[in-house]
Amino acid sequence: MFLKPQKIIFTSIIKRYNLQDIKPNQSNNNQELINQLEIDIKLNGLLCPLVVNNGVLIDGHHRYEAIKDFCTETLVYVVKDNDMEKLLSKLNSYIWFDHQGKLDG
């Protein structure tokens, strides 16, 4: 199954990626959040792309864990340098908080 995020900001750095080719680098995930995300993503789709640098997952570990059992590939942001990595991680956080109604700006 291919999963396309709802929000794609920088189309020039987006790439289709097999989930099996992504290596997560975080192991202390919140299982309750993962369960909630899995339900939400199945109902509403993925809100924003994962962020990957050289095949290593940089941002979106909970989203990755939520989709890995039912999705084979998705669109990810492929970062080129540290500044881009920080920008995309912040951007994904803002999209998430805005979606949750926690930003009033």
Side-chain angles (χ1 to χ4, degrees):
M1 174 183 176
F2 172 69
L3 192 60
K4 182 179 178 186
Q6 292 178 10
K7 302 227 179 180
I8 300 172
I9 308 298
F10 302 110
T11 56
S12 63
I13 58 170
I14 203 92
K15 182 178 178 184
R16 197 166 174 156
Y17 238 81
N18 288 324
L19 258 65
Q20 67 187 25
D21 295 334
I22 298 174
K23 297 168 192 69
N25 66 356
Q26 177 177 306
S27 60
N28 59 340
N29 294 315
N30 179 328
Q31 190 59 48
E32 183 178 334
L33 176 58
I34 292 167
N35 296 341
Q36 291 172 354
L37 282 170
E38 183 176 352
I39 293 166
D40 184 65
I41 291 168
K42 283 180 177 177
L43 288 173
N44 304 307
L46 187 62
L47 183 61
C48 49
L50 305 174
V51 179
V52 174
N53 188 354
N54 293 321
V56 176
L57 184 61
I58 302 301
D59 184 70
H61 289 84
H62 289 94
R63 285 173 278 146
Y64 170 84
E65 291 295 328
I67 67 174
K68 74 177 185 180
D69 291 335
F70 68 91
C71 179
T72 56
E73 58 185 336
T74 188
L75 295 179
V76 302
Y77 286 130
V78 178
V79 300
K80 312 251 188 258
D81 57 47
N82 287 344
D83 290 334
M84 184 183 289
E85 177 184 318
K86 291 175 190 170
L87 171 69
L88 291 170
S89 294
K90 278 187 181 181
L91 180 66
N92 278 348
S93 293
Y94 287 133
I95 290 171
W96 169 253
F97 283 115
D98 186 47
H99 174 73
Q100 294 294 308
K102 295 179 182 175
L103 291 178
D104 58 7

